[in-house]
Amino acid sequence: MSTKGGQDLYSSVRSNDSMMSRSMQGGPHMSGVGIFFQQEPDGKVYVKTIVSGGSAERDGRVRVGDVICGVDGRDVIGEPVSVLRSLLLGQEGGYVVLTFARAVEGGVEMETDAAGGTVIAKFDVELMRGSPEYLARLDASRRYEGELMDLRQQLKQALAEEKEIAEEVERVKRVLQLERGASARREKEIEDIRSAHQRETQALTEACRRAEQVRRDAVGRLMPVQTREGDMTEELARMKEKDRLRKEYVDELRKRHEEESGRLEAQLAKEQRSRREEQSARQEVERELAKSRAELKRESEHLRIISEQDRMHRDRTEMARRKFKELIDAMETVFGMGKEVEESAVALQNDFLGARVSLPREPLGESIAANNQQGEGRKDQNFFIA
């Protein structure tokens, strides 16, 4: 069923799978599908061995003992092994359709052999040409592309959150502008608060502009770096933790802003009521002065109480201004954290791109040329590897 030379080559292949995978290649960038074929004396070529990690093993449909009948629709029964080898070998990454015959009890496409006994089932298998190393590199490349898509999605989410923060800042600015319009009706003390608030709003706008400029400069100065996959995973975990902390801080900041706005509105209403009460008290004092000088001492005490209330009002106003300034400082801290998150995300993306570009291209095995020379010197042997 097989020649002595074919048996010796089969034994050597069984003892060294890596040599078999390299023998799948017939020249520079020429590869087979990971099957060791052997020809019988009657001219039939059958599957002797399936290379570990090759295209045929990955597909799983081809079995040892299957007889090859066609290549890309061409009937190869009775063809010499040299013709079959030339049809199977091709460019790495290309596909070839092989037709096999297998003895079964039933199948879709059936025919009976010449003796009229065995039932043969024919089936087609489309396999990719390439060595096990090439297929492994192809799988790794696909995995890296999936990880890159995940990093891009995370970057988009970070940018969307940054946009939400910018919109929140704009909303705060609009609220502050409305407050400045309402403060025009206040008296001298409230006017001082409005002026200070306007300066702080301008400082916030300038800080936002500087933060945006710093972000653009950072994006323009980014340089590609190389790092290990473990470092990329740790950096991604740190970025997620910072993002979580930033969200919590923004929520706390929004809550503080709402509370502070409500407190300021309550203080303003209280102030207005106090002013109205003060005016009523002064009018009452003027009427009472005409009635009795004996009540002068009581009215003087009343005026002292009003002065004390004014002083307390000024103290509360100063306290509100300090709290508002703390709120502005906290918002600047949020912008700084957002910039750090963006820099980390862009650095991770460049790290990954650099790691992908630096993937080594493994050279072809030097044993390929030697195997080809031995094959040319043994044209009378009836075996080959594709």
Side-chain angles (χ1 to χ4, degrees), residues 115-313:
T118 304
V119 177
I120 304 299
K122 289 187 177 181
F123 61 95
D124 295 334
V125 179
E126 185 178 17
L127 301 175
M128 176 187 288
R129 295 185 178 96
S131 63
E133 293 82 1
Y134 172 79
L135 297 176
R137 289 197 303 270
L138 188 61
D139 292 341
S141 176
R142 291 172 179 171
R143 288 195 302 270
Y144 284 134
E145 289 178 358
E147 294 175 359
L148 179 59
M149 292 298 296
D150 293 340
L151 290 175
R152 288 177 177 173
Q153 185 64 27
Q154 293 173 4
L155 178 59
K156 289 181 179 178
Q157 294 177 357
L159 292 176
E161 292 173 358
E162 181 182 359
K163 182 178 179 181
E164 292 178 359
I165 294 174
E167 292 176 352
E168 180 65 18
V169 171
E170 290 297 330
R171 189 184 68 82
V172 172
K173 288 168 63 177
R174 290 193 296 269
V175 172
L176 295 177
Q177 290 175 357
L178 293 175
E179 291 179 356
R180 286 201 304 271
S183 64
R185 297 185 297 268
R186 299 176 186 175
E187 297 181 4
K188 186 175 181 303
E189 294 84 1
I190 305 299
E191 183 64 23
D192 295 338
I193 295 177
R194 186 194 65 79
S195 301
H197 174 68
Q198 185 176 5
R199 290 193 300 270
E200 290 170 354
T201 302
Q202 292 175 354
L204 176 62
T205 303
E206 181 63 19
C208 293
R209 187 189 62 79
R210 289 197 302 269
E212 181 64 18
Q213 185 63 34
V214 169
R215 187 187 69 80
R216 293 177 180 176
D217 295 341
V219 172
R221 292 194 304 267
L222 286 177
M223 299 294 292
V225 294
Q226 294 181 349
T227 183
R228 296 186 306 228
E229 184 177 356
D231 295 336
M232 293 173 60
T233 304
E234 294 177 0
E235 185 64 23
L236 181 60
R238 288 195 297 270
M239 185 180 68
K240 290 181 178 179
E241 180 64 20
K242 287 182 179 180
D243 186 56
R244 184 185 63 80
L245 294 175
R246 180 172 60 82
K247 288 181 179 179
E248 293 178 356
Y249 189 77
V250 169
D251 294 338
E252 180 66 21
L253 189 62
R254 289 175 180 173
K255 182 179 179 181
R256 288 174 56 187
H257 172 69
E258 293 174 355
E259 293 176 354
E260 193 67 22
S261 298
R263 189 179 300 110
L264 289 174
E265 291 176 357
Q267 289 179 356
L268 179 59
K270 186 177 180 180
E271 232 176 67
Q272 292 175 350
R273 289 194 302 270
S274 177
R275 291 297 180 183
R276 289 193 296 268
E277 291 174 359
E278 182 182 353
Q279 291 176 359
S280 299
R282 286 178 181 177
Q283 293 174 0
E284 184 67 23
V285 167
E286 291 176 357
R287 289 192 298 269
E288 292 298 327
L289 282 175
K291 293 180 181 179
S292 177
R293 296 180 62 87
E295 297 179 359
L296 178 61
K297 184 178 179 178
R298 182 175 60 82
E299 295 301 333
S300 298
E301 182 65 22
H302 182 68
L303 290 175
R304 187 185 64 79
I305 292 173
I306 292 175
S307 299
E308 182 67 22
Q309 289 178 352
D310 287 341
R311 185 185 62 79
M312 293 176 66
H313 167 68

Side-chain angles (χ1 to χ4, degrees), residues 9 12-13 15-25 51 133 367-368 371 385:
L9 180 58
S12 65
V13 169
S15 65
N16 193 340
D17 287 341
S18 62
M19 181 182 297
M20 180 182 292
S21 65
R22 291 194 299 268
S23 298
M24 289 166 56
Q25 302 173 340
V51 177
E133 293 82 1
S367 62
I368 297 175
N371 290 335
I385 300 174

Side-chain angles (χ1 to χ4, degrees), residues 307-336:
S307 299
E308 182 67 22
Q309 289 178 352
D310 287 341
R311 185 185 62 79
M312 293 176 66
H313 167 68
R314 288 193 296 270
D315 293 341
R316 288 194 301 270
T317 302
E318 180 64 22
M319 183 179 298
R321 188 187 65 81
R322 288 196 301 270
K323 289 182 178 179
F324 188 79
K325 184 177 180 181
E326 292 177 359
L327 179 62
I328 297 302
D329 295 339
M331 292 179 69
E332 291 179 355
T333 303
V334 171
F335 280 111

